[in-house]
Amino acid sequence: MNVRDQIDAVPTLKSGPSPARADEAERQARILEAILASLSDFIFALDLEGRHVFVGDAALRALGKAREDVLGKSLFEIGLPELLAEHVDQVFRKVVAEGQTLQSDMEALTPFGQRRFQYLYTPIFSPEGDLETVLVNSRDITAERRALEALSESEIRFQTLLERCHDAIAVSKGAVHVYANRAYANMFGYDRAEEISGLPVFDFIAPSAREQIAERIRLRGAGEAIETMYITRGLRRGGEEFDMEIRVSTYLWRDELYTLVILRDVSEERRRDSDLRQQTAAIKSHQDWLEAVLNLLPVGLTFVEPGAGRIVFANGKANELAGGDFVSALLEDKQRDVYSHYDQEGTRVPLEQLPFARVAQGERIQGMEINWRTPAGDRPLLVFGDMIPALHGHSETGVVVFQDIGEQKELQSRLAASYEREWLINWIGATIRGTTNSADIPAATVAALGSALRADRCYFVFYDIEQGRSWVKDEWRVDSAATLIGEYRTSSHDSILQSYQHSIGQTLVIEDIATDARFPELADELLRLGLRSGIRVPLYENQNLVAVLVVAMSQEARAWTGDEVALTESVAVVSRTAAESARTLERERNIANNLQNALNPAAPSSAPGLDVADFHRAALDEASVGGDFYDVFTLKDGVTALVLGDVSGKGLAAAAQVATVRNMLRTVLYLHDDLAKAVSILNDLVVAHDLLRGFVTLFVGCFDAADRTLTYVSCGHEPGILQCAEGGPVHMLSATAPVLGIGSGAPFHAERRALSPGDRFLVYTDGLSEAGPDRTSLLGSEGLASILKREIDPSAAALMTRVMEGVHAWAGGDLRDDACLLASVVK
């Protein structure tokens, strides 16, 4: 019973004493005071001035004071902590003011540490209803508060634990959800756990399992002992069924039965278990399963015991590579010497250095190449090895894997041979194609092929079948081999070999004529000629044999490889093609030379009042014809035409354009004395009749010996260079008109220069001005002018020679483009 209950139980304190019962009331008051003093709560009473009029025993003990030291004193005078005294006094004043019971809590530092107190302030009234005293009941609630806080913290921690738990947890009552954690919601496809509260449990069970679950719920509710963990089928929000493991427990709370379930999605686990069971069953039903798998490996595989290196298993590929029963031979340590190993230098590997022994001693082998000598023959192998640590109850085991790289090395060898053959073909082809004279091609061919194959001799035999003769004209041979050059009547060996090759229609290869069963009757004759071994490649024209390319060894037999035969055949084709191309070019060169001579007749060594010299070289050696041209001819008494032009294009096509422009220019110059008009008419004609495929730069000059004047029209041509006599100033004769053939109606102007005896001038094409060691260092017109004025030459020929020497010196050799030059000296 608390203090208020005790006060309410004493009638005299509620309504005041009556005169008839005063003694009894006083007695009861003393009893009540004794009760209050003995209570364990801290109880004291304050008058309206805040002085103690009563103090309980527990309060005195807490203060450590006697009752007479407290009675009549205020809260601030009895040794209470200041903050505590202020708090109690403040609430006390409020009770006095309002006459209402109040309650407060306060935490303060006491001699017993930091404590929390709860105060109940009860006003005590006189019989007349006046407030006389305030009874204060103080309790130390520190332990209670800590217990409550601990309980609250425990609840929060428990709820957090449930929310963070990976297992799905839910609580239901009467088969309806009342709680679910986040994992539970996620398992069934819900976004929030709150969505599940109030939903029937059976909505989360697959239809096929609902009857079973309902029976379990019934039995559990009836108190039957049933299993608390089992697997059933769940149903997700989207309709997907899955396997789930359920742990069930029930508990009573406020006389109601609740069910707690912990779920786990075991679909994947059950699938793995199913797969594992199937694999285990397969392994148990097929004891050789692992061996079958290892036997399917494309590499040799062996297991060895640590230490001695005894082989305990070898797969099928290992036996295949060994060419025998590798397992039985090496499992019993028998015939080890039969299976010898050699390193890449051919040195035999000792027994303790074999890969099996080295791996058994703990060494790791990574890509060691060895040659394994087995009863089936030598095999190049690439070996790997390491120790497999002890796992799952199995002891440590060494494994050695070896791969047969014979085919790979053979392929590499073939590729290397193929690369070498291609290189030789390209090199020999370049040598042959670099020979422009068809007569020199056979000699270049046999020299390149014979040295490439390291043969004793290589030569062409040419045949005239109708005349029954053959001849060897070109031959390459080592110093010790006798020559075969000469003309021959068709011999017996020639006829036999020709007939045989014609019948097989292909190359003939003889490794050793002394033992060749095909030609026993030819051995003596061919050995006498120094032809013991060879390759003969026939060359036909219209199915008639015209030549044979021969590569031969004089005294030794030789097993010719397929690559060597293929190289000889390829060279024969290249040689024949090159010879035909050279002959075609020679024919074209003859035609071109004749055409060039017709287009550029030799300039007269002199003209009225002029000394003239010319130079011309075409860029295309195979045709000797380019787009550059010149012409020097007399127009009338004392007047000489000096023409130099550059037609776009090269070769025979350009030559046709040169002929058109040259002949039409002569015509218009003969018909018109006005030079500018004549050139303008020429331009209009070639444009109107589409006579040019490109354009022409053209310099046309007319020198009149009577007054020593040069009238010229330069149609977009390189500037002419004029130097006055005796080392005088140099003048550039720039273009006066556009290039010829661009469009009709273009203006063409003429310029006139008065000349003096000894004046020199050059007209040239861009093949000279653009000469240089490369495209970035060109001679230019200024460079030509500097060559011109270095010294005075006695004649136009000397001037032309000196200029061309200077151009070649600047270019560092041959010119890249057509080059044409007219050099003139005024007499």
Side-chain angles (χ1 to χ4, degrees):
M1 181 180 295
N2 59 31
V3 174
R4 186 58 185 261
D5 292 337
Q6 297 175 45
I7 294 173
D8 290 343
V10 181
T12 57
L13 291 180
K14 292 191 296 181
S15 58
S18 64
R21 303 178 62 185
D23 293 338
E24 180 64 22
E26 184 179 353
R27 186 178 67 82
Q28 291 180 3
R30 285 197 300 272
I31 295 172
L32 177 58
E33 183 176 348
I35 293 172
L36 293 175
S38 63
L39 290 176
S40 60
D41 287 351
F42 305 153
I43 298 176
F44 56 92
L46 302 174
D47 62 13
L48 299 183
E49 299 299 328
R51 292 186 296 272
H52 287 81
V53 296
F54 171 78
V55 182
D57 294 342
L60 290 173
R61 286 194 298 273
L63 291 172
K65 296 180 180 294
R67 183 172 278 104
E68 56 272 17
D69 295 331
V70 177
L71 291 177
K73 295 183 179 181
S74 69
L75 293 167
F76 300 98
E77 296 174 328
I78 61 173
L80 289 177
E82 184 177 355
L83 290 178
L84 181 59
E86 289 178 353
H87 172 76
V88 174
D89 182 69
Q90 182 180 2
V91 180
F92 162 75
R93 299 297 177 187
K94 189 173 182 180
V95 172
V96 171
E98 298 178 359
Q100 299 291 328
T101 299
L102 295 179
Q103 181 176 314
S104 69
D105 287 359
M106 178 61 186
E107 188 171 310
L109 180 63
T110 71
F112 306 103
Q114 194 77 13
R115 311 296 290 177
R116 177 171 287 277
F117 298 95
Q118 184 181 71
Y119 295 91
L120 180 64
Y121 303 82
T122 304
I124 305 297
F125 297 93
S126 68
E128 290 78 16
D130 297 326
L131 179 61
E132 293 182 340
T133 308
V134 176
L135 182 66
V136 182
N137 180 7
S138 173
R139 286 194 311 118
D140 186 345
I141 60 171
T142 304
E144 294 180 14
R145 181 58 58 90
R146 289 177 180 173
L148 288 173
E149 290 175 353
L151 177 61
S152 176
E153 182 180 352
S154 176
E155 290 177 350
I156 293 172
R157 186 182 299 114
F158 179 70
Q159 185 172 2
T160 302
L161 180 63
L162 289 180
E163 289 300 321
R164 292 182 180 179
C165 182
H166 292 295
D167 285 339
I169 300 174
V171 178
S172 62
K173 182 181 72 171
V176 176
H177 289 93
V178 296
Y179 169 80
N181 69 350
R182 186 181 307 167
Y184 191 93
N186 292 339
M187 175 182 287
F188 289 97
Y190 288 83
D191 298 329
R192 296 180 301 108
E194 292 79 6
E195 297 180 69
I196 296 177
S197 181
L199 297 179
V201 169
F202 289 102
D203 288 355
F204 297 78
I205 305 298
S208 60
R210 287 174 183 171
E211 184 176 347
Q212 176 193 16
I213 298 300
E215 179 63 16
R216 288 179 177 274
I217 292 174
R218 186 187 67 78
L219 293 174
R220 191 178 298 111
E224 296 287 342
I226 61 173
E227 61 184 350
T228 59
M229 186 179 75
Y230 56 91
I231 293 177
T232 188
R233 296 283 287 173
L235 180 66
R236 292 194 172 95
R237 191 176 193 177
E240 177 190 358
E241 294 187 10
F242 65 99
D243 292 321
M244 61 181 180
E245 178 188 82
I246 299 181
R247 288 187 178 92
V248 182
S249 62
T250 58
Y251 62 93
L252 284 173
W253 188 62
R254 293 183 179 178
D255 298 329
E256 291 186 298
L257 182 65
Y258 289 83
T259 301
L260 172 69
V261 294
I262 301 176
L263 307 183
R264 191 162 60 92
D265 186 343
V266 295
S267 301
E268 186 63 31
E269 183 180 322
R270 286 172 67 86
R271 280 194 292 270
R272 288 197 301 268
D273 290 345
S274 176
D275 293 342
L276 181 60
R277 285 194 297 271
Q278 293 177 5
Q279 293 172 8
T280 303
I283 293 173
K284 289 181 179 179
S285 62
H286 304 282
Q287 295 181 354
D288 59 346
W289 178 83
L290 179 59
E291 183 177 346
V293 171
L294 296 179
N295 284 331
L296 292 175
L297 294 176
V299 295
L301 176 70
T302 59
F303 293 141
V304 297
E305 285 184 351
R310 190 173 70 89
I311 296 175
V312 297
F313 173 79
N315 70 348
K317 189 64 176 181
N319 288 323
E320 178 187 335
L321 293 176
D325 191 354
F326 185 53
V327 178
S328 62
L330 294 184
L331 284 180
E332 302 173 5
D333 288 341
K334 295 178 180 179
Q335 302 181 8
R336 278 196 177 223
D337 198 48
V338 175
Y339 295 89
S340 302
H341 294 70
Y342 295 81
D343 59 23
Q344 290 182 284
E345 285 72 33
T347 304
R348 184 169 179 172
V349 179
L351 183 64
E352 64 274 9
Q353 289 299 317
L354 294 180
F356 311 103
R358 292 169 62 177
V359 170
Q361 295 300 320
E363 181 180 347
R364 172 181 288 183
I365 298 177
Q366 292 182 310
M368 180 177 69
E369 188 171 334
I370 62 172
N371 189 42
W372 190 11
R373 181 160 295 171
T374 73
D378 290 357
R379 293 182 182 275
L381 301 178
L382 194 63
V383 182
F384 299 85
D386 204 352
M387 293 299 296
I388 301 176
L391 294 172
H392 307 298
H394 296 280
S395 59
E396 186 181 35
T397 306
V399 59
V400 179
V401 179
F402 41 94
Q403 180 180 0
D404 186 356
I405 57 174
E407 292 184 0
Q408 179 181 342
K409 293 180 72 68
E410 182 180 353
L411 177 60
Q412 290 175 344
S413 177
R414 289 205 307 268
L415 285 174
S418 176
Y419 292 148
E420 181 180 6
R421 185 183 70 195
E422 290 297 326
W423 183 87
L424 287 173
I425 290 175
N426 292 334
W427 174 70
I428 295 172
T431 302
I432 295 171
R433 288 188 292 271
T435 306
T436 57
N437 189 340
S438 61
D440 297 334
I441 288 178
T445 300
V446 298
L449 180 61
S451 60
L453 292 182
R454 299 180 179 85
D456 289 343
R457 65 173 75 247
C458 183
Y459 59 91
F460 275 102
V461 183
F462 298 95
Y463 293 97
D464 186 341
I465 302 299
E466 293 183 356
Q467 298 296 323
R469 67 189 184 95
S470 63
W471 63 95
V472 178
K473 180 180 178 182
D474 301 287
E475 177 189 44
W476 176 90
R477 57 189 172 84
V478 296
D479 294 339
S480 60
T483 182
L484 294 178
I485 293 178
E487 185 172 333
Y488 304 88
R489 300 298 301 172
T490 303
S491 62
S492 60
H493 83 265
D494 256 343
S495 300
I496 292 172
L497 295 178
Q498 289 172 24
S499 176
Y500 181 82
Q501 282 192 266
H502 186 74
S503 66
I504 63 176
Q506 60 186 15
T507 299
L508 174 61
V509 180
I510 299 175
E511 295 186 355
D512 188 356
I513 192 64
T515 59
D516 197 319
R518 296 172 297 176
F519 314 108
E521 68 276 23
L522 301 184
D524 292 340
E525 185 178 1
L526 292 180
L527 289 173
R528 180 180 59 80
L529 292 173
L531 300 172
R532 181 168 183 175
S533 175
I535 302 172
R536 292 171 53 94
V537 181
L539 301 173
Y540 295 92
E541 283 186 5
N542 299 323
Q543 298 184 346
N544 295 320
L545 181 68
V546 294
V548 173
L549 174 60
V550 180
V551 180
M553 304 299 293
S554 296
Q555 304 299 324
E556 297 179 359
R558 178 167 173 175
W560 303 93
T561 68
D563 286 333
E564 291 171 334
V565 174
L567 175 62
T568 306
E569 293 173 336
S570 298
V571 169
V573 173
V574 171
S575 173
R576 181 172 183 173
T577 302
E580 292 174 352
S581 298
R583 286 193 292 270
T584 300
L585 290 177
E586 288 170 357
R587 289 193 296 270
E588 291 183 357
R589 186 179 295 113
N590 291 333
I591 295 172
N593 286 335
N594 293 332
L595 179 58
Q596 188 72 62
N597 291 334
L599 293 176
N600 286 326
S605 59
S606 64
L610 282 179
D611 183 15
V612 182
D614 65 89
F615 172 83
H616 179 270
R617 190 195 71 84
L620 300 181
D621 290 334
E622 67 272 17
S624 294
V625 175
D628 293 1
F629 69 96
Y630 66 90
D631 201 1
V632 180
F633 57 93
T634 301
L635 288 174
K636 57 183 179 180
D637 292 342
V639 178
T640 302
L642 304 171
V643 179
L644 190 138
D646 185 357
V647 175
S648 59
K650 297 287 184 289
L652 294 175
Q657 307 274 28
V658 169
T660 299
V661 173
R662 178 180 178 275
N663 294 331
M664 292 185 68
L665 177 61
R666 281 200 174 204
T667 299
V668 295
L669 290 178
Y670 287 139
L671 294 177
H672 301 280
D673 292 337
D674 187 336
L675 180 58
K677 183 177 181 180
V679 177
S680 178
I681 292 173
L682 173 62
N683 178 72
D684 292 343
L685 286 172
V686 296
V687 171
H689 298 285
D690 196 19
L691 300 178
L692 290 178
R693 297 300 179 190
F695 59 88
V696 180
T697 65
L698 183 67
F699 181 93
V700 183
C702 293
F703 178 74
D704 190 341
D707 57 4
R708 292 192 181 91
T709 59
L710 175 66
T711 304
Y712 68 92
V713 174
S714 179
C715 302
H717 199 73
E718 297 291 306
I721 304 174
L722 171 65
Q723 184 182 27
C724 297
E726 302 300 329
V730 174
H731 303 282
M732 294 294 182
L733 307 181
S734 301
T736 64
V739 296
L740 201 69
I742 294 298
S744 60
F748 287 83
H749 301 289
E751 296 284 343
R752 178 171 296 198
R753 290 270 182 172
L755 305 180
S756 302
D759 287 354
R760 302 176 298 163
F761 66 91
L762 299 177
V763 187
Y764 53 91
T765 58
D766 59 6
L768 296 180
S769 60
E770 294 181 0
D774 52 57
R775 291 296 183 186
T776 62
S777 302
L778 304 182
L779 180 61
S781 298
E782 296 296 334
L784 283 170
S786 67
I787 296 174
L788 174 66
K789 62 185 181 182
R790 286 175 189 168
E791 58 184 86
I792 299 175
D793 303 290
S795 65
L799 173 62
M800 183 269 295
T801 300
R802 187 168 61 81
V803 169
M804 291 310 302
E805 288 176 350
V807 171
H808 281 100
W810 178 268
D814 291 336
L815 305 180
R816 290 186 298 269
D817 201 357
D818 298 342
C820 193
L821 170 68
L822 280 179
S824 303
V825 178
V826 180
K827 296 180 180 179

